[in-house]
Amino acid sequence: MEVITMESEVFKEIKNKLDEIHDYISSQKTNELGDDTWLDNYEVCTFLQISTRTLQRFRSENLVTYSLIRGKIFYQFKEIKRLLNDNLIRRDRSYLDDLALRHQKYIEQREKNRR
């Protein structure tokens, strides 16, 4: 085994660069969830921490587009992003990243349950 030594300043620079790379990759996670991905009422309410009544009000006032399929309401991810960007839902970007990440887990769990 080979041991490599370096000055603490060099180590701190390397660590800072790695942190920057990590932050960049973390910010790109939202892009994994395409704008045309459909989210159901439960996902949007749970992961953005808003009530179903709030989403109902947005639908009634035509502030968000949605689709009703077999009695279940779905929203496109780009619409949820627009709600956040227009400050209709007051949350920071981390909630959107959390929604994207949890949606992937939600889909995986549903697929696992189907098998």
Side-chain angles (χ1 to χ4, degrees), residues 4-57:
I4 301 172
T5 60
M6 65 178 82
E7 293 181 24
S8 64
E9 285 297 317
V10 174
F11 177 76
K12 288 177 184 176
E13 282 184 41
I14 292 172
K15 184 180 180 311
N16 288 337
K17 291 292 181 185
L18 287 173
D19 288 341
E20 287 178 27
I21 292 169
H22 176 267
D23 292 342
Y24 175 76
I25 291 171
S26 295
S27 71
Q28 298 302 313
K29 283 184 181 176
T30 302
N31 295 336
E32 292 176 6
L33 196 60
D35 283 346
D36 293 333
T37 302
W38 292 91
L39 306 166
D40 64 14
N41 221 27
Y42 170 79
E43 289 179 288
V44 175
C45 290
T46 302
F47 303 134
L48 293 180
Q49 297 178 354
I50 58 176
S51 68
T52 54
R53 179 65 182 114
T54 299
L55 276 178
Q56 181 182 347
R57 185 172 43 84

Side-chain angles (χ1 to χ4, degrees), residues 26-110:
S26 295
S27 71
Q28 298 302 313
K29 283 184 181 176
T30 302
N31 295 336
E32 292 176 6
L33 196 60
D35 283 346
D36 293 333
T37 302
W38 292 91
L39 306 166
D40 64 14
N41 221 27
Y42 170 79
E43 289 179 288
V44 175
C45 290
T46 302
F47 303 134
L48 293 180
Q49 297 178 354
I50 58 176
S51 68
T52 54
R53 179 65 182 114
T54 299
L55 276 178
Q56 181 182 347
R57 185 172 43 84
F58 288 157
R59 290 192 310 269
S60 299
E61 296 173 2
N62 293 321
L63 297 175
V64 63
T65 57
Y66 64 96
S67 291
L68 185 63
I69 302 170
R70 294 183 184 176
K72 195 168 182 180
I73 299 169
F74 292 93
Y75 308 88
Q76 283 187 314
F77 186 63
K78 66 182 175 185
E79 280 297 302
I80 303 308
K81 284 195 324 190
R82 187 184 58 76
L83 288 174
L84 288 168
N85 290 335
D86 292 348
N87 285 325
L88 293 174
I89 300 174
R90 288 184 171 77
R91 299 284 185 265
D92 58 22
R93 180 151 176 85
S94 65
Y95 280 87
L96 196 60
D97 294 336
D98 188 47
L99 174 64
L101 180 65
R102 290 179 185 248
H103 174 73
Q104 295 295 348
K105 290 179 182 178
Y106 181 71
I107 295 299
E108 290 170 6
Q109 186 64 37
R110 280 192 348 205

